[in-house]
Amino acid sequence: MFVNVDAVHDSPDFPTQVDVVIIGAGIVGTSAAYELARQGISVALLEKGLIGCEQSSRNWGWVRQQNRDMFELPLAMYSLDRWEAFSGEIGRDVGFRRSGIVYTTDSQASMSKWEAWGKQAREQGFISHVIGAEEAGKRAPGTTSCWIGGVWSPSDGRAEPAMACAAIATGARELGAYVHQNCAVRGLEQHGGRISGVWTERGLVRTSTVVCAGGAWSSRFCRRHGIELPSANIMGTALQTTAAPEVTPGCLTTPNIALRRRLDGSYTLAMPGRGRVEISPQGLRYATKFYGAYRSKLAKKLQIRVSSSFFRGPEAAGSWQFDQISPFEQQRILDPEPDMALARASLAALHKEYPALSGVHIARAWAGMIDTTPDMVPVISAIDAIPGFIVAAGFSGHGFGIGPGAGRLVTDLVTGSVPVVDPAPYHIERFSDGSRIRQPEMM
Ligand SMILES: Cc1cc2nc3c(=O)[nH]c(=O)nc-3n(C[C@H](O)[C@H](O)[C@H](O)COP(=O)(O)OP(=O)(O)OC[C@H]3O[C@@H](n4cnc5c(N)ncnc54)[C@H](O)[C@@H]3O)c2cc1C
């Protein structure tokens, strides 16, 4: 079992009543708990496994504004400021470093896209630089490739997935939030048409507001309550190398590899765009909503297969009672087997690209289930049918970077304050109001 997260102590007492319950302690749930606690709101953060044990500790650790869907850019820009502030506020390192991101390419089409994207981004106040062949070579020295250019975003950064959620959850607990691990939320208790509590494996917690930040499990949780959250889980594989000389101080993507320098002197390495979709009842249920996404170039490198996901886990069918063991306790940590052929291919591509790294090996590889929406923009939305219920899920492979902003937006939805960014693009009803589902725009 792959668990690579800093340990967090649970709160000494288990609450019977709070203002807000948050389901799931990934980057979104921990950030929301922290922001709510900072505003003096009583909040319980309940996690079925360990803090940050699913996607939020398995990602590449890129914290970027570059190449975002324009709808997400304001949230990404706000999030970078929160990433920068966290360590000082909490007194614990979340591993954030503003060390810049470089993408290189051998395709004129990519260059044109970056030019067009950069113009729109500048209107929102984000500056990145499209660079020519010479500068691309300088920003990523030592490779065997000759790129025609790239794009460089110096204000982007990286953070350490193994450290971030643990630090933020600890910060939330120190501000008064209840934090409990190995505590699955089985379902919502409703009274008079609105939320009156949650059923957990330790009993009922009374509350008027619940935030579902359950990552890959959110859609199944919502379905149990009659809410449709179209989601497809895509399995991504990544690896950590052994310690290696520095070839980039931050994050670098070439057409074949995505590389992040880690604080411990190794790299997190993966192949961009590669992953696996497992056929499942949930996938079949929402297949038509994903028609545009499957046709886009983003889906071209995905493998499709049938596996145990059909019968077990977040995408399986079947209901449960709240006084019985739920699917969330049956799989405390979603820990798919990594695709080792893909991991080895990533390492071979790294060796080819960087001869200076030819002595570097795979220290460990892992996989994570990426909860993806049809337009690859998350849902951060109140649910009109269940007053008091808010969903923050579907971060589609890029939620680590915007998790802190999402946590703040959730807080604004809870308190009714002026939202930090316009929440309209994140409303869940875009998938059911008859409007055309947008093709994914993230690059
Ligand atoms: C291989 C890979 C690479 C990625 N790279 C990047 C990257 O470089 N940059 C980036 O921005 N994003 C990246 N991502 C995406 C990013 O990791 C996710 O979008 C983000 O972590 C989602 O955070 P979350 O809090 O929504 O979900 P999660 O981190 O999955 O957290 C959800 C939590 O909810 C818990 N939970 C679920 N149901 C219940 C329940 N009923 N009761 C209690 N607890 C429950 C789960 O156990 C889990 O801990 C990557 C993802 C993967 C897998």
Side-chain angles (χ1 to χ4, degrees):
M1 180 184 285
F2 171 85
V3 182
N4 182 35
V5 285
D6 286 359
V8 176
H9 297 298
D10 284 357
S11 303
D13 306 317
F14 192 76
T16 52
Q17 180 156 8
V18 286
D19 293 335
V20 184
V21 168
I22 296 177
I23 304 171
I27 191 68
V28 177
T30 54
S31 298
Y34 177 75
E35 298 292 347
L36 285 161
R38 211 156 71 108
Q39 296 196 17
I41 294 163
S42 82
V43 53
L45 177 64
L46 304 181
E47 165 56 51
K48 67 180 170 58
L50 300 172
I51 303 290
C53 63
E54 292 194 348
Q55 291 175 84
S56 294
S57 58
R58 293 158 190 263
N59 62 74
W60 300 351
W62 291 48
V63 176
R64 68 179 166 82
Q65 303 150 97
Q66 180 64 41
N67 290 355
R68 288 274 171 188
D69 187 302
M70 278 302 147
F71 279 164
E72 277 185 14
L73 186 56
L75 200 57
M77 290 166 67
Y78 175 78
S79 295
L80 262 285
D81 292 341
R82 293 304 294 136
W83 274 111
E84 189 131 61
F86 273 148
S87 298
E89 282 175 18
I90 298 170
R92 284 184 171 75
D93 191 4
V94 294
F96 177 72
R97 304 290 184 269
R98 218 185 256 271
S99 41
I101 290 181
V102 180
Y103 289 79
T104 60
T105 187
D106 47 17
S107 137
Q108 192 52 53
S110 296
M111 295 290 286
S112 307
K113 270 193 181 163
W114 284 325
E115 287 281 5
W117 186 93
K119 270 192 200 133
Q120 283 183 280
R122 250 190 306 278
E123 282 165 23
Q124 299 203 35
F126 174 69
I127 309 287
S128 62
H129 308 278
V130 175
I131 54 180
E134 193 183 340
E135 191 168 355
K138 276 193 203 142
R139 296 246 158 246
T143 76
T144 48
S145 299
C146 286
W147 299 300
I148 62 166
V151 66
W152 173 50
S153 50
S155 64
D156 276 332
R158 61 188 162 112
E160 289 298 333
M163 295 160 66
C165 292
I168 299 167
T170 304
R173 197 195 61 217
E174 287 174 354
L175 290 170
Y178 292 94
V179 175
H180 288 279
Q181 300 165 95
N182 290 306
C183 181
V185 176
R186 293 173 173 169
L188 305 174
E189 173 74 354
Q190 296 178 62
H191 192 74
R194 60 166 303 133
I195 285 183
S196 58
V198 289
W199 284 103
T200 78
E201 59 184 291
R202 297 191 207 168
L204 182 68
V205 179
R206 291 187 196 290
T207 186
S208 58
T209 307
V210 176
V211 177
C212 177
W217 299 85
S218 300
S219 184
R220 190 164 187 193
F221 186 92
C222 286
R223 233 169 9 260
R224 173 66 181 79
H225 294 281
I227 306 298
E228 299 288 346
L229 171 62
S231 177
N233 290 341
I234 298 174
M235 194 195 92
T237 289
L239 67 92
Q240 178 181 357
T241 67
T242 47
E246 182 173 301
V247 295
T248 175
C251 303
L252 168 71
T253 287
T254 75
N256 298 317
I257 54 166
L259 199 61
R260 173 180 65 89
R261 186 72 171 158
R262 300 168 62 110
L263 291 185
D264 63 9
S266 63
Y267 292 96
T268 292
L269 172 68
M271 273 196 163
R274 300 286 287 270
R276 191 158 71 208
V277 176
E278 309 207 323
I279 293 175
S280 67
Q282 178 175 292
L284 296 174
R285 185 181 188 98
Y286 298 126
T288 54
K289 307 242 182 238
F290 280 87
Y291 180 69
Y294 290 139
R295 291 193 54 193
S296 78
K297 83 170 184 34
L298 295 166
K300 295 263 156 46
K301 295 185 194 162
L302 296 180
Q303 290 177 351
I304 298 184
R305 71 163 202 190
V306 182
S307 79
S308 61
S309 292
F310 203 95
F311 308 103
R312 184 166 182 260
E315 298 189 89
S319 192
W320 61 94
Q321 298 303 312
F322 303 152
D323 59 356
Q324 292 172 346
I325 290 180
S326 67
F328 315 112
E329 295 140 89
Q330 284 162 354
Q331 231 172 334
R332 293 235 173 241
I333 299 181
L334 192 55
D335 184 30
E337 281 291 314
D339 178 341
M340 286 311 294
L342 186 58
R344 283 190 290 271
S346 311
L347 188 71
L350 178 73
H351 289 163
K352 191 167 170 216
E353 194 92 61
Y354 281 104
L357 300 186
S358 56
V360 164
H361 305 291
I362 298 176
R364 54 203 185 86
W366 63 88
M369 282 294 187
I370 299 171
D371 57 327
T372 307
T373 64
D375 57 10
M376 294 186 77
V377 170
V379 167
I380 308 172
S381 172
I383 303 299
D384 295 342
I386 308 180
F389 188 43
I390 292 169
V391 172
F395 283 82
S396 305
H398 44 278
F400 185 63
I402 58 171
R408 170 58 195 269
L409 184 56
V410 161
T411 301
D412 295 339
L413 294 178
V414 168
T415 60
S417 327
V418 177
V420 66
V421 298
D422 178 8
Y426 308 116
H427 207 283
I428 194 168
E429 292 199 347
R430 68 187 192 271
F431 298 126
S432 57
D433 63 5
S435 57
R436 201 172 63 84
I437 293 176
R438 292 165 70 235
Q439 280 245 352
E441 281 188 6
M442 199 199 63
M443 292 172 65

